[in-house]
Amino acid sequence: MKQQAQHTPPFTEGINRVDGIMKVTGAAKYSAEYELPGMTYAVFAISNITKGTITSIDTKAAERAPGVLAVLTHLNAPKVPGYEAGKDPSKPPTTGGPLKFFVDNSVKYNGQPIAMVVADSFERATYAASLIKAQYNKQQHETDTEKNKFKAAAPKGGRNGGDYKRGTPDDWKAAAVKVEQEYVVPINVHNPMELSVTLAHWTADDKVTVYAKTQGVKSTQNAIAQAFKLPVENVQVTTKFVGGAFGNALRTWPHEIATVQAAKLVKRPVKTVLTRELQFNTVGYRPYTWQKVSMGASADGKLTGIIHEATAQTSSFEEFTEGTVNMTRFMYACPSVGTVYKITPLDVNTPTWMRGPGEATGAFALESAMDELADKLGIDPIELRIRNHADTDPENGKPFSSKNLKEAYEMGADKIGWSKRKLKPGTLTEDGWLIGYGMGTGVFGAGRGRATVKAALLDNGTLLIQTSVTDIGVGTGTAMTQIASEIFTGIPVKKIKFELGDSSLPPSPTQGGSTITSTVGGAVHDACTQLKEKFQQLIGNGGTDKPDYVKVLKEKNLPQLEVTVTSSGSTEMRNFSSYSYSVHFVKVKVHPKTGVVRVDNVVSVADSGHIVSPKTARSQIIGGAIGGIGMALMEEGIMDHRYGRYVNNNYADYHVPISADIPQIDALFVNKPDYRVNPMGAKGMGEIALIGMSAAVANAVYNATGKRIRELPITPDKLLS
Ligand code: MOS
C-alpha cells in the first residue's frame, strides 16, 4: 500500500493557533467573564413534575430574601412583544414553535424553568430560588422512546421527512448473505466545559447589548430583535470566545430571551449562567434513536438491497429531525435502497443538533451492519466497502466534486497495522487482553454558504480582516489568518488581525455544519484577493512581489485601503455531489474477566480537501475522535422514566473520556484540494471527525471478543452478560 498521499498544494506545517497564548494564559475572555457595573444574577427555579399545570406558585419568601430584585413567573412576567409570532429566526432544525418561559402555567418537561430569580449575587439568587414552592396538577407523562416507538410517525415537515426508495429495497431478503439488526444510540448531552451564558444590558429603552455563548452572533441578534420587536441594529451581540458547544448554541433558547426580559424589568444588567444540571434539558441533546438495518449481498459481497429505519424522540411542542438515515442513500453502490425516518413526541425538552448530527447516529447503525455483513461473508470489512464503492452519487447520479475514500482506507490501514487484524474474532491476545481492530466510515455534506468580509490594509502595516463569525474553539481565526497570509505573502502573520464574534461586523453565518472554513474562508480569500488587486491599481505598473504597503499608503496619504466583499459558492456546485469523508481505525484491548474496554490506538483519516490550517485541523480530528470514543463507550443521558427525570445530570455521573481514556491519536489527511467547493480547495471536517467513530469502536470490540454490542454505550456489563 502507498505510504503517503500525493498532494498539491504542499502540506505545510501551518501557523500556530493565533489565540493559543491568550487561551492558555487566561487572557481570552469568555462570555461569563464579562462584568458590568450594577450587574445582577439570574437563577431558575425548576419544575419537579414532568407534565401538567402549575396551580399555585409561592414566591413570597424568595421575594423577601436578601438581595433579591425580582422574581419572574407566568403570573407577573412582562410580555415579550414578539413572542406571539412564535417563530424562532435562528433557523432551528425544527418545525413548531419554540418553548417560551413564563407565558402560561403549563409544564412540558421535568426541570423546565418555572420562575427566575434576579438578585445582586449568584449565591443570593440561588438561595432565593430554593425558597419557591409550586403546586401542580400532575398529568401522566411519557419520556421513554423505546416504550413509545409504536406511536412514532413521519415528521410533518422539515427536510428529513418523507420515506426514500430506489429500486426494490426488499431484494435484501432474497440475498445470499443477509443482516437484519437493531441498533440503539441513547441520549447524548453536549456537555462542553463552558456552560451556557447570557448577559443582557439595556443601554436605552430600545437598545440592548448582549454577551452570550452562541455559535452565531447574527442569529442571536435576529432572535432577540424579533422577540422584543427592535430594529436589528439596536441589538448588539458579542461572543469573542466559546469553550466548546458541539451544537447546543446553534439556536436561541428561551432562557436567553428570559434573561433579556429580566434585564428590562430590573433596569440593570442581568447575567444567567446555566447550571450543569440545566445544561441537560435546557439547551438540547442528541435524541435517543432506535434503528434497524436490513441488508443483503451476493456471495461475492455486492450489496443487493438495504433498508434503514430510524425512530427518534422529539418534544411534545416541536418537531426536531435530523439526517439519521440519509447517508445510507448514497454511501454505497447499491441498486435498491429504502429509508424510513420517524419521530415520537415525548414530555421532554426539544433535542438539537449535536456534533455530526444525524449522521453520527446513522453511521453507528450502517457501519456496524456493514461490519456484520463482512463477517458473515468472511471478507475483510475494507474489502467489502471497496467492492461497493460508489463512483458516482447513487442517490442522484451526479459525479462527486471530489472523493478520495479509497485512498483514505489505504492510508489508515497502513498506519494502524490493519494487516495484524484477524478475520476470526476473539483470536488475538496481548498480555492477557483480547485485541481487536475495527473501522468505520463517516460522511458529511461539504458546501459553501454566503458570508461578507471586510479586509483593510492599514498604514501601520496591519492587515485587518473583519466578519461577525464566532469561533466555537475550532481555530477559525487561525485558519482565516492562514488563508490571508497565503494571499498577502509579504505581510508577516503577526501583522494580520482577524476580528470576529461581534454582530456589528459584516454578516457571517452561524458556526456549524462544517461550513465555516469553506464559507468564511472563501469570503476571506475573495476579499484579500480583491484588496490586493485594489492595491495593485493604486501603485500602477511599478509593483513588486513584496510591496512596502506602509510606504505606499503614506505616500498616497491614505490611512487605509479597504474592500468589503460578499461571496458564496458557485452555481457549478449544483451539478455535483459534494461530501467530506472520514475513515476511523481503532485498536482496542478488552479485558476478558472485567469487560473493560481500553482504546489502544486510533487513526483517523480525513478526506476534507486541501488542509488550510494543519495544526487546528489536527486538533479538530483528535477532538472528534475523542467525542466518538465517548459516544461509543461512555456517554448516556439516563432518565428514570417513572419520574421523567435525568439521574446523571452532572459531570460525575455523565461520563466523558478523560486523558487517561485516550491513547495516541493519529490524524491523517488525504489533502487533495476540491476547488469546486471554494478557492482554497477545502472541505469541512468538524462533523466527519466524529461520524463513524462509534461504529469503528464497536467493530473493534466485536473483533476482539466476538460479542456484537448494538446498543451504545459499550459498558463492561454488556460485554459480560
Ligand atoms: Mo455543529 S452540531 O453544526 O455545532
Side-chain angles (χ1 to χ4, degrees):
M1 286 184 179
K2 267 183 296 174
Q3 193 59 38
Q4 177 91 41
Q6 283 194 329
H7 41 66
T8 48
F11 190 78
T12 58
E13 200 187 322
I15 62 174
N16 288 334
R17 198 177 272 267
V18 293
D19 48 13
I21 290 172
M22 288 183 81
K23 286 188 168 184
V24 296
T25 58
K29 204 164 172 177
Y30 290 81
S31 299
E33 296 177 308
Y34 286 86
E35 301 279 333
L36 296 175
M39 193 168 74
T40 66
Y41 301 80
V43 169
F44 291 109
I46 61 175
S47 153
N48 58 19
I49 67 155
T50 301
K51 186 182 182 183
T53 50
I54 303 163
T55 52
S56 70
I57 183 160
D58 182 357
T59 58
K60 280 189 212 74
E63 281 156 14
R64 282 196 304 265
V68 171
L69 282 90
V71 179
L72 281 81
T73 68
H74 67 281
L75 297 173
N76 69 348
K79 259 196 159 175
V80 177
Y83 251 6
E84 277 63 50
K87 288 219 188 77
D88 178 348
S90 64
K91 294 204 190 80
T94 55
T95 53
L99 186 65
K100 299 156 189 167
F101 290 171
F102 318 136
V103 289
D104 59 33
N105 66 347
S106 67
V107 173
K108 296 189 168 72
Y109 64 88
N110 207 304
Q112 174 188 317
I114 55 166
M116 184 187 208
V117 177
V118 183
D120 59 3
S121 79
F122 174 71
E123 291 76 9
R124 285 173 147 183
T126 303
Y127 172 67
S130 76
L131 302 175
I132 293 171
K133 298 277 176 281
Q135 303 293 320
Y136 303 93
N137 183 359
K138 219 160 125 178
Q139 292 164 21
Q140 173 88 29
H141 66 260
E142 290 295 347
T143 57
D144 189 342
T145 309
E146 180 61 33
K147 214 178 96 192
N148 290 283
K149 259 189 342 219
F150 62 90
K151 284 192 204 155
K156 290 193 242 351
R159 74 189 102 151
N160 299 308
D163 295 353
Y164 170 82
K165 185 176 165 183
R166 77 162 173 268
T168 42
D170 275 339
D171 282 359
W172 75 270
K173 288 180 186 161
V177 182
K178 292 179 274 192
V179 169
E180 184 185 18
Q181 291 295 351
E182 297 178 24
Y183 304 87
V184 170
V185 173
I187 288 174
N188 284 185
V189 183
H190 307 72
N191 270 314
M193 280 171 71
E194 186 197 29
L195 299 162
S196 295
V197 180
T198 314
L199 166 54
H201 173 39
W202 289 82
T203 54
D205 256 5
D206 60 349
K207 271 194 176 151
V208 66
T209 291
V210 176
Y211 300 87
K213 173 177 184 162
T214 173
Q215 293 177 238
V217 288
K218 294 300 288 183
S219 110
T220 300
Q221 178 193 39
N222 279 320
I224 293 170
Q226 184 165 311
F228 292 91
K229 293 213 159 134
L230 300 170
V232 170
E233 61 278 11
N234 286 17
V235 180
Q236 166 64 38
V237 180
T238 304
T239 309
K240 288 296 176 185
F241 292 92
V242 176
F246 311 114
N248 77 1
L250 281 168
R251 66 180 294 192
T252 304
W253 296 99
H255 74 276
E256 302 178 81
I257 301 297
T259 305
V260 179
Q261 183 187 19
K264 179 133 217 184
L265 181 73
V266 301
K267 299 187 165 57
R268 282 167 70 173
V270 175
K271 184 194 277 188
T272 303
V273 181
L274 292 185
T275 58
R276 180 62 59 184
E277 179 187 356
L278 281 187
Q279 291 289 136
F280 278 70
N281 52 14
T282 309
V283 289
Y285 53 90
R286 191 193 299 286
Y288 180 106
T289 306
W290 168 91
Q291 297 175 82
K292 183 173 176 185
V293 178
S294 315
M295 55 167 59
S298 59
D300 64 348
K302 286 267 199 208
L303 288 164
T304 58
I306 312 175
I307 298 176
H308 187 171
E309 300 162 72
T311 292
Q313 66 182 143
T314 189
S315 66
S316 61
F317 47 90
E318 243 181 330
E319 276 195 348
F320 169 80
T321 66
E322 54 185 355
T324 308
V325 296
N326 299 2
M327 71 181 278
T328 301
R329 300 172 189 169
F330 61 84
M331 195 60 205
Y332 297 108
C334 179
S336 295
V337 173
T339 66
V340 178
Y341 178 75
K342 290 179 181 169
I343 49 175
T344 187
L346 298 173
D347 300 308
V348 293
N349 192 23
T350 311
T352 198
W353 290 307
M354 180 167 161
R355 195 171 190 177
E359 283 81 351
T361 300
F364 170 64
L366 179 65
E367 291 295 285
S368 290
M370 285 294 280
D371 202 73
E372 301 205 41
L373 186 66
D375 187 59
K376 282 197 168 178
L377 285 158
I379 64 174
D380 184 282
I382 300 174
E383 178 57 31
L384 176 65
R385 285 162 174 84
I386 287 169
R387 284 187 200 173
N388 293 285
H389 183 268
D391 298 329
T392 54
D393 188 333
E395 190 180 356
N396 54 28
K398 290 178 188 176
F400 292 110
S401 63
S402 67
K403 183 176 181 181
N404 303 290
L405 189 51
K406 286 182 184 168
E407 197 162 340
Y409 289 138
E410 271 190 19
M411 287 170 72
D414 265 3
K415 185 77 185 175
I416 197 128
W418 189 253
S419 57
K420 292 198 283 279
R421 179 184 184 272
K422 301 281 182 236
L423 212 50
K424 192 170 156 40
T427 53
L428 196 61
T429 61
E430 275 174 23
D431 304 326
W433 292 72
L434 294 162
I435 303 298
Y437 292 85
M439 52 82 60
T441 318
V443 66
F444 201 78
R448 177 182 175 191
R450 176 188 298 269
T452 305
V453 166
K454 180 173 160 184
L457 282 163
L458 311 187
D459 66 0
N460 65 5
T462 299
L463 171 61
L464 177 65
I465 302 166
Q466 295 175 311
T467 188
S468 64
V469 72
T470 53
D471 179 356
I472 61 174
V474 300
T476 301
T478 310
M480 298 307 121
T481 303
Q482 181 85 43
I483 291 165
S485 76
E486 285 170 16
I487 295 166
F488 281 98
T489 47
I491 298 181
V493 167
K494 63 176 191 303
K495 295 293 273 181
I496 301 174
K497 194 167 180 324
F498 182 75
E499 274 184 12
L500 80 175
D502 181 327
S503 62
S504 65
L505 297 176
S508 275
T510 294
Q511 183 161 79
S514 301
T515 57
I516 289 299
T517 300
S518 177
T519 299
V520 180
V524 166
H525 178 281
D526 294 349
C528 288
T529 305
Q530 288 187 30
L531 182 60
K532 206 173 168 180
E533 282 165 14
K534 196 169 178 179
F535 182 82
Q536 292 297 338
Q537 283 163 12
L538 190 70
I539 57 173
N541 287 330
T544 60
D545 267 1
K546 289 202 186 258
D548 188 336
Y549 297 108
V550 174
K551 194 169 150 228
V552 172
L553 291 178
K554 293 230 155 106
E555 274 171 13
K556 306 269 178 189
N557 227 348
L558 284 171
Q560 68 178 58
L561 188 70
E562 65 170 68
V563 296
T564 298
V565 173
T566 299
S567 68
S568 54
S570 75
T571 50
E572 190 207 358
M573 281 300 289
R574 281 189 218 130
N575 306 323
F576 294 91
S577 277
S578 188
Y579 293 99
S580 293
Y581 295 90
S582 59
V583 189
H584 304 285
F585 289 86
V586 174
K587 179 190 175 193
V588 298
K589 298 162 71 168
V590 183
H591 196 274
K593 294 230 163 59
T594 62
V596 164
V597 177
R598 302 284 310 166
V599 178
D600 195 52
N601 196 3
V602 174
V603 177
S604 284
V605 191
D607 170 21
S608 45
H610 166 60
I611 302 305
V612 165
S613 172
K615 286 187 180 174
T616 53
R618 184 172 170 272
S619 298
Q620 266 286 57
I621 295 297
I622 291 172
I626 294 169
I629 292 169
M631 182 182 180
L633 299 179
M634 299 169 193
E635 294 196 48
E636 181 177 17
I638 301 171
M639 258 193 191
D640 183 333
H641 295 300
R642 292 172 302 171
Y643 307 105
R645 196 180 296 165
Y646 281 106
V647 295
N648 65 340
N649 49 4
N650 57 72
Y651 253 180
D653 297 314
Y654 183 94
H655 293 170
V656 295
I658 59 164
S659 301
D661 299 310
I662 298 301
Q664 177 68 34
I665 293 174
D666 286 303
L668 304 185
F669 300 103
V670 179
N671 196 35
K672 284 195 172 162
D674 184 339
Y675 293 117
R676 291 195 175 97
V677 182
N678 54 55
M680 299 83 65
K683 298 191 285 187
M685 63 168 63
E687 324 295 333
I688 55 158
L690 186 145
I691 298 165
M693 177 54 93
S694 59
V697 174
N699 295 341
V701 167
Y702 174 76
N703 185 241
T705 63
K707 278 211 171 199
R708 178 70 64 180
I709 307 300
R710 301 184 183 89
E711 178 161 3
L712 295 180
I714 304 168
T715 44
D717 54 304
K718 292 177 187 166
L719 283 169
L720 293 177
S721 64

